Amino acid sequence: MTTTADRTLGEVAPFRNERVKDFKDSADREAMNAALRAVKGRLGAQYPLVINGERIETEKKIRSLNPADPSQIVGVVSSASRQEANAAIDAAARAFESWKRLTLAQRASYLFKAAELLRRRRLEYDALLVYEVGKSWPEADGDIAEAIDFLEYYAREALRYGEPQPVVPLAGEHNELVYIPLGVGAVIPPWNFAGAIMMGMTAAAVVSGNTVVLKPSSDAAIIAAWFVDLLAEVGVPPGVVNFIPGSGSEIGDLIVTHPQVRFISFTGSKEVGLRINELAAKPQSGQKWIKRVVAEMGGKDSIVVCADADLAAAVEAVAVSAFGFQGQKCSACSRAIVEEPIYDEFVARLKRRVAEITVGDPENPENYMGPVVNEAALASIMRYIEKGQSEGRLISGGKRVGENGYFLEPTVIADVAPDATIAQEEIFGPVLAVIKAKNFDDAMAIANNTEFGLTGSLYTSDEAKIERARGDFFVGNLYFNRKSTGALVGVHPFGGFNMSGTDSKAGGNDYLLLFMQGKTISRKV
Ligand code: NAP
């Protein structure tokens, strides 16, 4: 009998994306309401560190708060000090000695089991995201569907890399190229795809044979604690994933510079990514390797709307790309670049569309936009809105909504110059700058005028413009006549150029190579 531990790629069903739930369906709607009630009953629980499978409580805690109602504590995690961070790295180094000896197929079996269990608990995880980071139901479900996709996809990728790799035959020799893991890794995810990115980064590292310390975002540590427990439940051995929540500024440098850490897998802001890259480049005493850094960072993504575009479709795409999950996606549209002949009509239609957006507690599925993630984010976005009002014409929004919770109106500022602050810096909130372009050449030049290069979209019916943008629009993920968000695992491998990061292409078939090294073995026959 074939067990899940020794399946080959040919024996598993081809990868298919998980379908996102339609909460208009009354059965799913009722089930989600039940999940919200169940998860609400568990809010406030305490979560320890997990080092070598041991659960360790520390005195210092991090409280995860519901951004829709910060008086509600979603959970409390122990916070790792430098001592525990060191202990976690030691534990990962010890566990590596046995974990690396498993075959890729054996390690893939853990990911398949984790995907299955996550699928069964999907709505509970959805509900947790509603409370922990303020996602609407569809956004939360999209995040967990993507997490399941990453587990399934990287499991299949591991099977593929475990198969004989093509090398050119040579008479008199037997030659092989095999992929082996790197060692101990630091996994440092952001809070915004608190399920998908955190699980995807962790799963890719461990299925490749590495062991890790997982330092979750302080804004989304509870979902990471749940996932670490889920991995233990499916039998991932102690020490393979060590869980060390802690403030990035307190233990981040230690993890990054530790001589036993072989690689850092980071997703987050440009500022933190660049710091990690710089620190990791300097070899430490006792360090035997060049650390590998995978750093996926920020974006300042544009949708270009040409005069020949389907205007209704473009307005819709800009609205959902700019304001879905409150604009807190690295792929969010934060600049609409619109050709002059349709500019006024576009702005008028966008204003009408944005007026339909509902803002409020995402526990209620009628609300399209929930809160931004925390108080510091609210203050920073408000500063950009203020600045933006001196840089353009406020069309929609601009104000905080209510006093409890970090709610903001969807905000559109038109007539913004291409080099204005709000056209250049990542705001990471529901703020859209609308920029007028003289013509297509001008639009392309504006689209490429930031330091980032993550996603971009072009609305046009002109094949020549599409052909031109294929070459000239300098972004890692380029879309035509569709929104700039919603990349699917396997379908749209994801990652950006320039200051958007190392273009790792998460969810693509090169991704696991970032966590492995090739070994060529030749034998005279
Ligand atoms: P962030 O503030 O840079 O934090 C990301 C992670 O780094 C968190 O776990 C954080 O921990 C940790 N960290 C902070 N300072 C550190 C340090 N000195 N050393 C090591 N780790 C440190 O980013 P974020 O606010 O969580 O996420 C939003 C950003 O992520 C945006 O810029 C967005 O564009 C980007 N993003 C990019 C992609 C992509 O694929 N390119 C995808 C998603 C998000 P603490 O929480 O404890 O500070």
Side-chain angles (χ1 to χ4, degrees):
M1 197 186 96
T2 308
T3 68
T4 50
D6 52 20
R7 279 191 293 179
T8 63
L9 192 55
E11 289 167 337
V12 294
F15 172 77
R16 292 271 173 276
N17 295 104
E18 201 69 21
R19 285 182 56 181
V20 177
K21 289 190 186 299
D22 176 7
F23 290 110
K24 287 187 200 80
D25 175 285
S26 68
D28 277 340
R29 207 176 167 92
E30 262 172 47
M32 182 64 181
N33 272 317
L36 284 163
R37 282 194 298 276
V39 170
K40 202 169 195 171
R42 291 160 65 187
L43 296 186
Q46 304 260 342
Y47 298 87
L49 314 179
V50 182
I51 299 177
N52 198 29
E54 234 183 281
R55 301 169 78 78
I56 299 166
E57 293 279 354
T58 60
E59 223 163 89
K60 193 169 174 200
K61 309 284 184 196
I62 298 170
R63 293 182 319 157
S64 182
L65 308 178
N66 178 352
D69 176 7
S71 67
Q72 189 169 55
I73 298 172
V74 176
V76 180
V77 287
S78 280
S79 177
S81 66
R82 297 172 65 83
Q83 190 190 338
E84 283 103 21
N86 277 317
I89 294 167
D90 282 348
R94 286 195 304 277
F96 180 63
E97 291 310 313
S98 45
W99 183 245
K100 70 179 180 188
R101 294 185 198 286
L102 266 52
T103 62
L104 280 152
Q106 285 169 328
R107 290 191 296 258
S109 72
Y110 291 106
L111 263 54
F112 284 124
K113 285 185 214 157
E116 197 40 51
L117 195 50
L118 184 57
R119 212 174 264 119
R120 293 214 295 272
R121 298 191 184 151
R122 176 161 168 177
L123 288 177
E124 286 167 52
Y125 276 79
D126 286 2
L128 178 60
L129 285 180
V130 171
Y131 293 122
E132 190 164 33
V133 291
K135 290 210 168 189
S136 67
W137 295 17
E139 292 288 350
D141 192 57
D143 190 329
I144 300 305
E146 187 177 352
I148 296 168
D149 282 353
F150 276 134
L151 294 166
E152 290 279 352
Y153 185 83
Y154 293 144
R156 285 170 177 75
E157 281 297 286
L159 296 180
R160 185 168 70 80
Y161 282 113
E163 290 185 341
Q165 300 298 308
V167 284
V168 174
L170 180 71
E173 277 188 17
H174 179 258
N175 290 300
E176 276 177 280
L177 172 68
V178 295
Y179 287 108
I180 64 168
L182 296 171
V184 175
V187 175
I188 308 178
W191 53 265
N192 72 329
F193 280 84
I197 295 183
M198 178 272 297
M199 294 190 212
M201 289 167 72
T202 308
V206 300
V207 81
S208 305
N210 308 289
T211 54
V212 301
V213 293
L214 167 61
K215 194 219 86 60
S217 160
S218 300
D219 285 307
I222 307 304
I223 187 164
W226 282 25
F227 180 58
V228 170
D229 284 349
L230 183 144
L231 290 178
E233 232 177 301
V234 300
V236 172
V240 172
V241 177
N242 300 280
F243 180 56
I244 47 163
S247 150
S249 53
E250 276 174 46
I251 58 168
D253 289 0
L254 181 150
I255 302 172
V256 169
T257 56
H258 195 292
Q260 269 179 300
V261 168
R262 173 69 176 81
F263 69 96
I264 298 105
S265 175
F266 168 81
T267 306
S269 62
K270 178 193 89 175
E271 290 70 22
V272 175
L274 289 181
R275 179 182 173 80
I276 288 175
N277 193 45
E278 187 177 343
L279 287 176
K282 189 172 179 338
Q284 304 294 321
S285 160
Q287 180 183 322
K288 288 202 288 191
W289 44 64
I290 300 172
K291 287 181 195 247
R292 203 177 276 182
V293 175
V294 180
E296 293 314 305
M297 315 194 303
K300 189 73 193 171
D301 310 307
S302 304
I303 296 185
V304 174
V305 185
C306 295
D308 53 60
D310 174 343
L311 196 53
V315 166
E316 183 59 25
V318 168
V320 299
S321 303
F323 302 118
F325 189 37
Q326 298 78 266
Q328 301 171 117
K329 301 182 188 180
C330 52
S331 55
C333 170
S334 60
R335 317 190 322 155
I337 302 168
V338 184
E339 283 187 353
E340 198 163 13
I342 52 153
Y343 183 84
D344 291 341
E345 173 70 9
F346 175 87
V347 171
R349 286 205 198 189
L350 184 66
K351 182 180 166 69
R352 287 201 294 277
R353 174 63 183 83
V354 171
E356 292 167 13
I357 292 177
T358 46
V359 182
D361 194 330
E363 208 178 17
N364 176 353
E366 303 309 319
N367 289 323
Y368 180 79
M369 265 178 55
V372 298
V373 73
N374 59 32
E375 201 169 357
L378 179 78
S380 156
I381 299 163
M382 289 298 290
R383 279 195 298 275
Y384 276 112
I385 292 175
E386 209 181 305
K387 173 88 185 151
Q389 293 191 53
S390 68
E391 292 185 323
R393 175 167 55 103
L394 186 71
I395 297 296
S396 316
K399 292 194 295 296
R400 184 175 179 179
V401 178
E403 278 167 15
N404 188 33
Y406 310 125
F407 298 97
L408 272 168
E409 291 175 336
T411 298
V412 180
I413 300 173
D415 308 349
V416 175
D419 59 353
T421 305
I422 66 157
Q424 290 292 323
E425 294 181 11
E426 186 181 46
I427 300 172
F428 221 56
V431 182
L432 173 76
V434 187
I435 304 169
K436 190 186 285 182
K438 291 191 230 25
N439 50 38
F440 185 61
D441 282 344
D442 191 32
M444 281 287 89
I446 297 169
N448 287 333
N449 82 347
T450 77
E451 62 180 341
F452 297 105
L454 190 46
T455 73
S457 169
L458 172 67
Y459 272 78
T460 182
S461 54
D462 182 340
E463 281 305 320
K465 288 179 182 166
I466 288 182
E467 202 39 52
R468 167 93 196 275
R470 284 174 66 89
D472 289 357
F473 204 154
F474 199 66
V475 291
N477 285 70
L478 175 61
Y479 300 109
F480 293 121
N481 297 320
R482 58 147 281 178
K483 61 183 182 166
S484 66
T485 54
L488 286 172
V489 171
V491 179
H492 312 108
F494 192 82
F497 301 155
N498 293 344
M499 285 298 177
S500 291
T502 48
D503 191 37
S504 68
K505 290 292 182 268
N509 64 4
D510 299 327
Y511 191 68
L512 287 198
L513 287 177
L514 298 166
F515 303 93
M516 300 192 285
Q517 49 200 339
K519 180 170 182 176
T520 302
I521 303 169
S522 305
R523 177 176 182 163
K524 201 159 182 63
V525 288

